Amino acid sequence: MSTRRTFLKSAAVATSAVGATTLGAPFVHAQSTKKITWRLQTYAGPALAEHVIKPSIDAFNKAANGEMEIQLYFADQLVPTGELFRAMQKGTIDAVQSDDDSIAAPVDVAVFGGYFPFATRYSLDVPTLFHQWGLNKIWEEAYAEVKGVTWLGAGSWDPCNFATVQPIRSLADLKGKRVFTFPTAGKFLARFGVIPVTLPWEDVEVAVQTGELDGIAWSGITEDYTVGWANVTKYFLTNNISGAWIGSYFANSEKWAQVPEHLKTLFRLCMDSSHYYRQHWYWGGEAKLRVEGTKLQLTSIPAEEWKTVEDEALKFWDEIAKTSPRCAKVIEIFKQYNALMTKAGPPYRY
């Protein structure tokens, strides 16, 4: 909290100083002589950020050669995750790495950020949907209607599995479980008796230890081990409600416009580098830790019973499709894409 207060005070002073500089000197002169400095906050805590963003930001800062520096902040370090969009919109922070759902982005497609039930089966589904099936254009269109924030692109993360204190071997075992998860995923899981709980990311481990939480449905097994959740839970459910988290990069529109084109290109390349690293880090980690991990015992819900969850997801899709024409368009793409993948057969769908 002390860090946030200090940050907000310095941000206010910096904003005033920028305003005075803008009035007193030509913009071109200011940009040519002053290094650009951004504050970027990620959804991830320090241990996870070491993999999901820090290498790419370190690379950017090195390659920018003193022209620009991105200062990286971790989950809830400066601004609570649920307030990130508004803070970025106001210019309190300059950029964000998160999902649309968690940061309460005021766009209809925000519901698809994070874990939208069964929209994806594998991590490669996300870039394919965005780059080949038109989701990029739809997201650009949605965010063009919101002042102050520019959506820069999406990538895939890990699947959404349960890590719990008590074993989950049937749908009945989900009832009454207090689980840390994402907003839309929580709404869906509530249909099976799960009680979604919202907490600051850094408080999750302690909440499991104190019994405030019964489990977590926020990641795959790689993150459970990386961030320490495997130390406080005992079981890992192999069934997942999504094959990949959809996360994005965002920037304050005014600050993005001030970045020279060559540095914009560099930033996008570093985004792609981060997306690529996560593809193999998660893919390998999920398999290796299921087989060789010693902290979590694997459990499964029988396929015929789990089909109840998959069937309910399709009903959930149809409900979301009714919320806006754009959401209906996204749902139709999900349906067509998954139908094609099913027809393609292994290894696309089994």
Side-chain angles (χ1 to χ4, degrees):
M1 186 60 69
S2 176
T3 302
R4 289 181 191 165
R5 289 195 185 105
T6 303
F7 161 70
L8 291 171
K9 288 179 182 178
S10 63
V13 171
T15 302
S16 299
V18 170
T21 302
T22 303
L23 291 173
F27 172 74
V28 174
H29 174 71
Q31 182 161 327
S32 64
T33 59
K34 186 176 181 181
K35 180 178 74 173
I36 299 170
T37 302
W38 270 15
R39 296 183 181 95
L40 186 157
Q41 184 169 309
T42 177
Y43 73 97
L48 182 58
E50 285 290 335
H51 293 278
V52 300
I53 189 170
K54 191 175 183 297
S56 64
I57 296 302
D58 289 345
F60 177 89
N61 288 336
K62 183 177 181 179
N65 199 31
E67 294 182 62
M68 183 171 174
E69 178 188 3
I70 297 176
Q71 299 171 351
L72 179 62
Y73 295 88
F74 307 124
D76 304 304
Q77 191 172 1
L78 298 178
V79 182
T81 297
E83 299 173 17
L84 275 175
F85 192 92
R86 296 303 182 188
M88 178 171 44
Q89 200 171 36
K90 293 176 182 177
T92 308
I93 57 175
D94 305 301
V96 166
Q97 181 206 41
S98 186
D99 67 282
D100 325 57
D101 198 23
S102 296
I103 65 174
V107 294
D108 48 6
V109 296
V111 69
F112 302 113
Y115 291 120
F116 191 73
F118 297 101
T120 61
R121 298 283 179 167
Y122 307 111
S123 57
L124 279 175
D125 289 335
V126 175
T128 304
L129 281 162
F130 274 86
H131 294 289
Q132 297 185 20
W133 286 72
L135 293 196
N136 265 348
K137 297 299 182 183
I138 295 174
W139 259 244
E140 288 170 358
E141 175 191 87
Y143 282 95
E145 298 171 1
V146 179
K147 292 183 179 179
V149 171
T150 299
W151 176 80
L152 299 177
S156 65
W157 272 251
D158 51 340
C160 183
N161 296 77
F162 283 85
T164 55
V165 176
Q166 299 296 325
I168 305 295
R169 296 191 173 95
S170 70
L171 292 182
D173 292 334
L174 292 174
K175 292 181 180 179
K177 294 294 188 293
R178 293 160 297 179
V179 174
F180 175 68
T181 189
F182 292 86
T184 298
K187 291 177 183 176
F188 176 68
L189 290 171
R191 299 182 178 211
F192 303 93
V194 171
I195 302 171
V197 178
T198 301
L199 289 171
W201 190 91
E202 61 191 10
D203 295 341
V204 171
E205 186 172 344
V206 173
V208 175
Q209 291 174 303
T210 60
E212 185 180 352
L213 287 175
D214 299 304
I216 301 150
W218 203 83
S219 69
I221 199 168
T222 308
E223 286 190 15
D224 291 334
Y225 274 79
T226 301
V227 307
W229 293 339
N231 298 331
V232 295
T233 55
K234 297 179 181 179
Y235 300 93
F236 179 84
L237 181 65
T238 60
N239 312 76
N240 67 57
I241 66 162
S242 176
W245 188 72
I246 298 175
S248 290
Y249 286 80
F250 309 83
N252 173 277
S253 298
E254 185 176 339
K255 297 295 180 65
W256 179 248
Q258 293 171 6
V259 176
E261 287 301 320
H262 69 287
L263 291 178
K264 287 181 178 177
T265 299
L266 176 62
F267 186 75
R268 291 187 182 279
L269 287 171
C270 287
M271 283 170 47
D272 287 343
S273 173
S274 179
H275 295 330
Y276 170 72
Y277 176 86
R278 289 193 312 274
Q279 285 282 350
H280 63 78
W281 183 63
Y282 280 123
W283 185 256
E286 296 300 301
K288 185 177 179 67
L289 288 169
R290 284 191 183 203
V291 176
E292 299 179 359
T294 59
K295 297 179 180 180
L296 296 175
Q297 180 180 330
L298 304 185
T299 64
S300 297
I301 295 175
E304 58 274 15
E305 187 176 2
W306 190 248
K307 190 176 184 303
T308 303
V309 183
E310 297 177 343
D311 292 343
E312 188 64 28
L314 296 179
K315 297 177 185 177
F316 186 73
W317 287 18
D318 289 338
E319 292 170 14
I320 296 300
K322 294 176 182 177
T323 60
S324 78
R326 188 154 49 215
C327 284
K329 187 175 181 180
V330 174
I331 292 296
E332 184 58 30
I333 289 174
F334 284 159
K335 289 181 176 180
Q336 292 180 8
Y337 176 79
N338 280 286
L340 182 141
M341 290 292 155
T342 299
K343 289 181 180 178
Y348 300 97
R349 294 292 186 268
Y350 288 89

